[in-house]
Amino acid sequence: MMSEVISKMSDKMGKSVESFKKELSKVRTGRASLSILDDISVDAYGSGMPLNQVCTLTIPESRLIVIQPWDPQMLPAIEKAILKSDIGLTPANDGKIIRLNIPQLTEERRKELVKSVKKIAEEFKVAIRNIRREAIDALKKQKKDKEISEDDLFKLQDQAQAETDSFIKKIDEITVSKEKEVMEV
């Protein structure tokens, strides 16, 4: 029962780290990545459908994404959806496929992206600290209800802090690797 609070806290923190990784995958780094197209919805056959459900997405070169719709009549709708999204890429339509060229990032843009990566990391660190605070509050309530002793409370608080530190360290490591990826020319 005592470690149940800590294990729930660890699970929530693990999910936060996974969400952080997913959020960072959307940050454009100058290399083609299909994850930047994940949130694009296409108006297809009267309903909104994810882009990857109406076409084939490929990366033939490091700075090029090729979109080949299964139905050629979908080209204008796909093109419109990409333009409407805020990914900052202009589609090139040749009548059969759409090409998305990923432009080389300028030094200034790279620095802006690094700042944005750090901001996202800080938001997730705050979320992890909030999870720790909730767990410690639950432990204090257990002590108040005399479910655990004061010694157990202190041990579990130390355990919660150690878990929190390890997850924050993971976020820092992921952040550093993403910064290197963004600054890579």
Side-chain angles (χ1 to χ4, degrees), residues 123-137:
E123 289 169 5
F124 278 90
K125 286 182 191 179
V126 167
I128 284 177
R129 290 185 195 110
N130 287 339
I131 294 168
R132 176 198 57 201
R133 184 180 39 77
E134 290 167 8
I136 288 177
D137 289 347

Side-chain angles (χ1 to χ4, degrees), residues 25-86:
S25 73
K26 296 176 187 171
V27 174
R28 209 173 76 203
T29 59
R31 268 193 246 129
S33 169
L34 297 180
S35 61
I36 62 173
L37 302 174
D38 284 350
D39 295 335
I40 296 179
S41 180
V42 178
D43 224 6
Y45 312 111
S47 67
M49 296 179 76
L51 182 62
N52 62 359
Q53 290 186 8
V54 294
C55 61
T56 304
L57 303 168
T58 55
I59 302 176
E61 300 170 22
S62 66
R63 295 190 183 283
L64 180 68
I65 297 175
V66 174
I67 302 167
Q68 185 167 15
W70 297 323
D71 179 0
Q73 294 175 345
M74 291 298 301
L75 275 170
I78 293 171
E79 196 171 12
K80 186 176 176 184
I82 293 169
L83 288 169
K84 203 165 67 173
S85 72
D86 61 350

Side-chain angles (χ1 to χ4, degrees), residues 113-127:
L113 286 173
V114 166
K115 281 182 188 174
S116 119
V117 165
K118 287 181 179 179
K119 183 177 180 242
I120 294 168
E122 195 52 46
E123 289 169 5
F124 278 90
K125 286 182 191 179
V126 167

